[in-house]
Amino acid sequence: MDGKIIDGKEISRQIKEEVGREVERLKQDGCTPGLAVILVGNDPASASYVGSKERTVKALGMHSEVIRMAEETSESELLGEIDRLNGDPAIHGILVQLPLPKQIDEQRIISAISPDKDVDGFHPINAGKLMAGLDAFVPCTPLGIMVMLERSGVSLKGKHAVVVGRSNIVGKPMSMLLLQQDATVTICHSKTADLPSVTKQADILVAAVGREGMINKEHVKDGAVVIDVGINRGEDGKLRGDVDFDAVLPVASKITPVPGGVGPMTIAMLMSNTLESARRAFKEGRC
Ligand code: NDP
């Protein structure tokens, strides 16, 4: 079993430690990285995500600003807040916690964040740069998966990677990153015919769907590396992934658990992107 389960908690701890050290170095040069997180409304899951981001930012010695706005906040009020943060030299990363209340157009909000401070990597400019292979902020979840694969010694060159899910946040950027590392990439989605016949070809299988346990033994080739992005809360209140972990464990060569796999990496990469943004600002005299 040794090394078979990819320990996202441990890898994320290492990343955070490294980021913390670099933050101290940058602070000695006179630049304190700053992350602003905007939370609109009262969704308890969103509030909990924002709370853990705030704690991590502070623990790593960065400047944290959390803006809590009422459920009935208008789009123009939110745009005003983003505009203020875009112009604030103490802030290097801006994150708007999704989902947003229905009166607010998510895409308009994402596009209003300065691409230079878009540490979530959701802005169309950063998405386009990733597609073109240019330097860009990359969405934290797929970026974290790439780091996990690298630190677990998984080589990608010439391998067949199958990504189940094509969202802008996970599936599409994941596919681009795997392609950049010379994997042969197949993207599956809800209209894919005979999903198991496609996933069964994967050397590396990434499940990013949001359906508890949908990937089982029939979907996985012997020896495949299986990455489970899904976060599903079962009726018993427990978190489970998209992969039926117990069924797939004997077949996979490596596998990520839920919780303790991809989830902790996402927040670590948010810290890493914020540090990177501050470094760029410092170099350009904007910090
Ligand atoms: P979306 O709902 O945006 O996308 C889900 C994707 O799954 C879609 O592309 C959809 O296809 C596809 N899909 C749905 N049903 C099937 C099916 N039966 N067979 C094949 N594909 C299917 O979700 P996200 O990408 O935002 O998130 C995916 C999961 O990852 C969720 O559980 C989410 O909670 C989790 N997540 C975890 C993170 C972490 O930090 N660990 C971060 C972000 C997300 P179609 O496009 O055709 O509708």
Side-chain angles (χ1 to χ4, degrees), residues 50-82:
V50 168
S52 75
K53 283 167 190 167
E54 184 179 19
R55 281 191 298 279
T56 312
V57 171
K58 285 182 176 163
L60 298 190
M62 301 197 241
H63 167 62
S64 165
E65 191 171 333
V66 177
I67 298 121
R68 293 185 168 82
M69 302 179 83
E71 181 78 33
E72 54 281 3
T73 299
S74 69
E75 192 173 281
S76 63
E77 280 172 307
L78 180 53
L79 287 170
E81 204 52 51
I82 291 171

Side-chain angles (χ1 to χ4, degrees), residues 141 164-167 170 189-190 208-211 214 229-231 262-263 266:
T141 300
V164 190
R166 57 173 163 181
S167 71
V170 188
H189 45 77
S190 67
V209 177
R211 290 178 61 150
M214 72 163 287
V229 187
I231 301 178
V262 174
T266 299

Side-chain angles (χ1 to χ4, degrees), residues 146-161:
M146 295 306 282
V147 172
M148 278 178 123
L149 290 170
E150 193 193 339
R151 295 200 178 194
S152 307
V154 176
S155 75
L156 297 169
K157 198 172 189 166
K159 299 285 173 61
H160 189 182

Side-chain angles (χ1 to χ4, degrees), residues 49 122 140-142 145 163-172 187-192 195 199 207-212 214-215 219 228-233 240-242 258 261-267:
Y49 292 142
F122 295 165
C140 301
T141 300
I145 292 170
V163 179
V164 190
R166 57 173 163 181
S167 71
N168 290 337
I169 294 172
V170 188
K172 282 184 202 160
I187 308 173
C188 301
H189 45 77
S190 67
K191 310 294 184 296
T192 297
L195 184 70
T199 56
V209 177
R211 290 178 61 150
E212 183 180 328
M214 72 163 287
I215 300 292
H219 293 79
D228 191 353
V229 187
I231 301 178
N232 311 288
R233 196 171 287 279
R240 289 194 194 85
D242 289 347
V258 176
V262 174
M265 292 303 294
T266 299
I267 198 156

Side-chain angles (χ1 to χ4, degrees), residues 50-121:
V50 168
S52 75
K53 283 167 190 167
E54 184 179 19
R55 281 191 298 279
T56 312
V57 171
K58 285 182 176 163
L60 298 190
M62 301 197 241
H63 167 62
S64 165
E65 191 171 333
V66 177
I67 298 121
R68 293 185 168 82
M69 302 179 83
E71 181 78 33
E72 54 281 3
T73 299
S74 69
E75 192 173 281
S76 63
E77 280 172 307
L78 180 53
L79 287 170
E81 204 52 51
I82 291 171
D83 195 40
R84 177 183 73 76
L85 294 166
N86 280 342
D88 183 345
I91 296 298
H92 307 100
I94 303 170
L95 183 153
V96 178
Q97 186 65 44
L98 302 177
L100 288 166
K102 54 186 178 316
Q103 73 275 15
I104 300 175
D105 178 346
E106 233 164 66
Q107 202 49 54
R108 260 185 101 173
I109 297 303
I110 289 169
S111 300
I113 296 171
S114 162
D116 290 335
K117 298 190 178 188
D118 170 40
V119 286
D120 250 344

